[in-house]
């Protein structure tokens, strides 16, 4: 919602002031289809050349995410921490082997079924169960598991940032393509020097629309969307960091209640539940 509101405010301020100052919006509207075709066509072509298909698909998906609210809410994190508490508490009371079936078959696990929001996220569930499986096997110590976690989180981070970088490169190219469109318009104008001044003025104005559109699309549309997607990517990475911190704290001998406190502390302040909120939520799930 705020993305759309932001776009509306930008467009009203830019075009509204232009019209109030006596600008002829008709010139822009007349040139718009041709300049947009030139700029967007060149940008799309360059975008496809510059990115692998997996990045192209991830970028298109990322554009959709920009217009949706964040799924990483306080309620989600309370479920995540409560799930980890239940798993670690069961392992502490009954031994690590007691959670083996929960780890191997999370879809059938009563523990995971209590937290449908987390269980429905395949990637998060897989991340949790993979490292719990290593803990059950007992073949790796905390430092080795931490190293593996860091490597996986870094890989996730790189993959998630690929669309952000792609959008950034696209935003950087749009002003140049706007200049290309403007230069072509000027070339076209130079071929019509015998026309009356009013006609030449209109042709030059249409050519300059290309430069205007390139800059507007770059810094008024794609650059802001890239920044927003980057923030959403950081939110997603924080969830994995929370899981990592909690599980490592457990491996180092801390009680489940203390381990999830470690995980709670790494969350961003706006979605971090208070100690009392988390404690109440965990008790309510028993």
């Amino acid at each position: 919602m705020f993305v759309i509101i932001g776009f509306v405010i930008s467009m009203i301020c830019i075009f509204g002031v232009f019209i109030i100052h006596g600008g002829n919006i008709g010139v822009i509207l007349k040139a718009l289809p041709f300049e947009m075709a030139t700029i967007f066509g060149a940008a799309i072509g360059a975008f496809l050349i510059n990115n692998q298909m997996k990045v192209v698909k991830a970028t298109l998906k990322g554009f959709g995410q920009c217009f949706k609210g964040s799924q990483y809410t306080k309620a989600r994190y309370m479920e995540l921490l409560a799930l980890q508490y239940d798993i670690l508490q069961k392992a502490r009371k009954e031994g690590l082997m007691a959670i083996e079936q929960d780890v191997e078959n999370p879809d059938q696990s009563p523990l995971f079924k209590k937290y449908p929001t987390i269980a429905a996220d395949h990637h998060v569930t897989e991340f949790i169960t993979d490292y719990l499986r290593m803990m059950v096997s007992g073949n790796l110590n905390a430092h080795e598991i931490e190293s593996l976690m860091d490597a996986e989180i870094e890989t996730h981070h790189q993959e998630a940032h690929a669309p952000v970088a792609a959008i950034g490169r696209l935003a950087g190219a749009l002003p140049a393509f706007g200049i290309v469109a403007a230069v072509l318009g000027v070339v076209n104008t130079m071929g019509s020097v015998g026309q009356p001044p009013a006609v030449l003025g209109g042709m030059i104005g249409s050519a300059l629309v290309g430069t205007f559109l390139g800059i507007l699309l770059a810094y008024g549309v794609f650059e802001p969307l890239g920044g927003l997607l980057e923030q959403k990517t950081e939110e997603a990475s924080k969830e994995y960091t929370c899981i990592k911190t909690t599980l490592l704290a457990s491996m180092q001998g801390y009680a489940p209640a203390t381990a999830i406190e470690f995980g709670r502390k790494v969350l961003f302040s706006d979605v971090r539940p208070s100690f009392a909120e988390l404690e109440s939520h965990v008790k309510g799930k028993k």
Side-chain angles (χ1 to χ4, degrees):
M1 178 61 72
F2 284 106
V3 175
I4 296 174
I5 292 173
F7 282 148
V8 170
I9 291 173
S10 295
M11 296 304 114
I12 289 176
C13 289
I14 292 170
F15 292 103
V17 171
F18 175 74
I19 293 171
I20 291 171
H21 279 197
N24 185 2
I25 194 68
V27 174
I28 295 177
L29 294 177
K30 182 180 179 181
L32 190 64
F34 306 102
E35 301 298 327
M36 287 289 281
T38 302
I39 296 169
F40 258 122
I44 291 172
F47 180 76
L48 292 175
I49 294 169
N50 197 32
N51 297 287
Q52 294 180 321
M53 187 51 61
K54 64 179 181 180
V55 177
V56 173
K57 292 179 179 178
T59 303
L60 294 176
K61 183 179 179 181
F63 281 134
Q65 291 175 348
C66 287
F67 294 91
K68 298 178 181 178
S70 175
Q71 63 175 326
Y72 300 100
T73 61
K74 182 184 291 188
R76 178 184 175 95
Y77 282 123
M78 286 199 292
E79 284 220 350
L80 176 65
L81 291 167
L83 169 62
Q84 292 181 93
Y85 174 84
D86 283 354
I87 294 172
L88 297 176
Q89 186 73 351
K90 182 177 180 180
R92 188 178 181 89
K93 287 183 176 180
E94 304 174 26
L96 281 172
M97 295 305 296
I99 64 171
E100 186 174 16
Q101 288 303 313
D102 298 299
V103 170
E104 296 298 335
N105 299 293
D107 293 339
Q108 306 299 323
S109 168
L111 291 179
F112 281 89
K113 286 183 177 180
K114 286 171 60 180
Y115 306 97
T117 301
I118 306 302
D121 192 320
H122 169 72
H123 296 293
V124 171
T125 300
E126 187 177 71
F127 188 82
I128 294 172
T129 54
D130 280 351
Y131 291 103
L132 285 173
R133 189 177 295 111
M134 293 180 190
M135 292 169 61
V136 171
S137 69
N139 294 326
L140 298 174
N141 60 39
H143 295 294
E144 291 169 326
I145 288 182
E146 181 178 12
S147 179
L148 281 174
M149 285 180 168
D150 287 339
E152 183 169 352
I153 291 173
E154 178 60 24
T155 299
H156 173 270
H157 189 76
Q158 290 174 350
E159 289 180 339
H161 269 75
V164 175
I167 294 173
R169 291 191 295 270
L170 178 61
L174 281 168
F177 288 128
I179 293 173
V180 169
V183 169
L184 291 175
V186 171
V187 170
N188 187 40
T189 303
M190 292 297 100
S192 305
V193 290
Q195 298 292 331
V199 175
L200 290 176
M203 295 177 71
I204 293 173
S206 296
L208 293 176
V209 169
T211 303
F212 163 73
L213 285 177
I215 296 172
L216 176 62
L217 291 171
Y219 300 111
V221 178
F222 288 97
E223 186 74 22
L225 287 178
L228 178 59
L229 186 59
E230 183 175 20
Q231 294 172 33
K232 288 180 175 289
T233 299
E234 293 298 333
E235 284 185 326
S237 296
K238 184 60 69 174
E239 187 170 44
Y240 291 96
T241 304
C242 173
I243 297 168
K244 166 195 163 183
T245 306
T246 303
L247 295 183
L248 289 176
S250 176
M251 289 192 71
Q252 291 166 358
Y254 291 99
T258 306
I260 64 170
E261 183 64 13
F262 274 72
R264 184 182 74 86
K265 287 295 186 180
V266 304
L267 298 176
F268 290 125
S269 59
D270 61 321
V271 292
R272 182 194 304 145
S274 67
F275 177 84
E277 286 175 325
L278 181 57
E279 183 180 42
S280 175
H281 185 75
V282 169
K283 287 180 178 179
K285 286 289 186 177
K286 291 182 178 179

